[in-house]
Amino acid sequence: MPTTRVLIVDDEVLVRSGLGLIVGSAPDLDVVGSCSGGQAEQLVGELAPHVVLLDIRMPDLDGLTVLRRLRTLPDPPAVAMLTTFDTDEYIGTALRAGAAGFLLKDTAPEQLVHAVRILASGGSVLSPTVTRTVIGGYVEGGGPDAEAAALTRQLTGRELDVLVLLGEGLSNAEIADRLFLGTGTVKDHISAILGKLGATNRVQAAVLAHRAGLVRDTDQSGA
């Protein structure tokens, strides 16, 4: 089984230790390091993690700054933001900056492990209590957003199918199973979707799917 390399970035040593014990307990996940915000960019370069769990609030170098720096790397890891509050005002900013997911620090151990696996496979993750904050911040007014709907009209029928499932939080493998496609084909569709929608990552595309009225309002989560 391929091993997923994980880096944990948080200013609190106890939090890093606790998350490390949970994630490292899975046989297919390897916690290759942990650090505070100021060391994150260097360690990503040295350790080449597939997934970074990144605290959104840190005193030495805040998570949003770290996220932006990591996103400029040639082959950036998937980054999930860790937060204590499901109403954190920085969630929307992190989404626009390219975060692939949002997790509360008190996420159940089995959900955290599952979330890391989804991130490693190219999926996006939202803790159930964070989902409404993330989606709700962008879906307002009670009906489909005309601008978002217009963007989705650029997509082919199959791309729309994939976008809807992205909006439901499914991973590439799950989308492939649902649509009877190969995972490589799904990746190609997602690349095309992101390009046509002007989205940085699949979370942004998922939000746009909700804004366009393509996804039913549920408390779903990739985690």
Side-chain angles (χ1 to χ4, degrees):
M1 181 182 296
T3 300
T4 295
R5 300 165 62 83
V6 182
L7 177 68
I8 298 171
V9 182
D10 194 288
D11 62 301
E12 297 185 28
V13 176
L14 286 177
V15 172
R16 297 201 302 259
S17 298
L19 293 174
L21 287 173
I22 293 171
V23 174
S25 66
D28 58 321
L29 305 181
D30 180 17
V31 179
V32 295
S34 64
C35 64
S36 60
Q39 301 171 288
E41 188 175 4
Q42 177 183 343
L43 285 186
V44 167
E46 294 175 356
L47 302 174
H50 303 109
V51 174
V52 174
L53 301 180
L54 174 61
D55 187 12
I56 203 168
R57 295 172 179 246
M58 293 179 288
D60 63 335
L61 188 64
D62 69 272
L64 294 175
T65 299
V66 174
L67 172 64
R68 292 188 183 102
R69 291 182 179 179
L70 296 184
R71 292 297 300 168
T72 65
L73 297 177
D75 187 19
V79 179
M81 308 304 293
L82 298 170
T83 178
T84 307
F85 311 102
D86 60 352
T87 57
D88 197 312
E89 65 269 27
Y90 297 127
I91 286 177
T93 304
L95 171 65
R96 288 186 289 271
F102 302 89
L103 297 167
L104 292 180
K105 290 185 179 180
D106 61 356
T107 297
E110 65 276 8
Q111 289 182 328
L112 179 61
V113 168
H114 183 53
V116 172
R117 289 172 176 154
I118 289 176
L119 289 164
S121 70
S124 56
V125 294
L126 298 172
S127 286
T129 49
V130 178
T131 302
R132 275 198 188 280
T133 300
V134 175
I135 301 300
Y138 291 84
V139 184
E140 298 177 349
D145 179 279
E147 180 181 356
L151 283 173
T152 62
R153 284 196 287 273
Q154 305 175 71
L155 305 180
T156 66
R158 181 56 83 189
E159 288 167 354
L160 278 173
D161 293 339
V162 172
L163 179 61
V164 170
L165 297 181
L166 272 182
E168 293 179 1
L170 273 63
S171 68
N172 288 358
E174 291 169 332
I175 293 173
D177 287 344
R178 185 78 65 87
L179 298 178
F180 304 103
L181 298 172
T183 54
T185 301
V186 171
K187 289 180 181 179
D188 290 341
H189 282 314
I190 291 174
S191 294
I193 290 168
L194 296 182
K196 291 179 180 180
L197 300 183
T200 302
N201 59 40
R202 46 196 300 138
V203 180
Q204 291 183 0
V207 169
L208 194 142
H210 282 264
R211 287 177 52 200
L214 300 176
V215 184
R216 288 174 297 176
D217 184 18
T218 62
D219 277 338
Q220 60 218 355
S221 169

